[in-house]
Amino acid sequence: MKKIDLGDLAVEVARISMIVAGLANQTDEDTETLTPKALRNALGGVSSYLDRISDDLDRLEVELTGKGGQRA
């Protein structure tokens, strides 16, 4: 299992922020919009990405404290 690197996680969160900002641009009147299917796929990808990061953070908590995280 790959060791978790906080710098890598920070970069991933920044990338997700950029993706969400790009998706928010879909609300601009002067922008061509994604098809509903493409938008669903993009949001599903962001959700999967965030789930994986959450899992990584849970693993990191176990590594650091010996206790598991409490996910909602």
Side-chain angles (χ1 to χ4, degrees), residues 30-57:
D30 299 332
T31 303
E32 288 189 34
T33 59
L34 295 170
T35 64
K37 181 179 179 181
L39 183 57
R40 255 190 321 275
N41 288 340
L43 292 172
V46 168
S47 177
S48 294
Y49 211 178
L50 289 171
D51 287 342
R52 193 191 52 70
I53 290 171
S54 177
D55 291 343
D56 285 348
L57 290 171

Side-chain angles (χ1 to χ4, degrees), residues 9-10 21 23 28 38 54 57:
L9 286 174
L23 291 171
D28 290 345
S54 177
L57 290 171

Side-chain angles (χ1 to χ4, degrees), residues 59-70:
R59 273 191 20 230
L60 181 62
E61 182 177 16
V62 169
E63 288 176 15
L64 294 176
T65 67
K67 300 177 186 175
Q70 299 292 327

Side-chain angles (χ1 to χ4, degrees), residues 12-26:
E12 291 182 73
V13 170
R15 288 178 182 161
I16 291 171
S17 177
M18 289 185 280
I19 292 168
V20 171
L23 291 171
N25 288 339
Q26 293 297 297

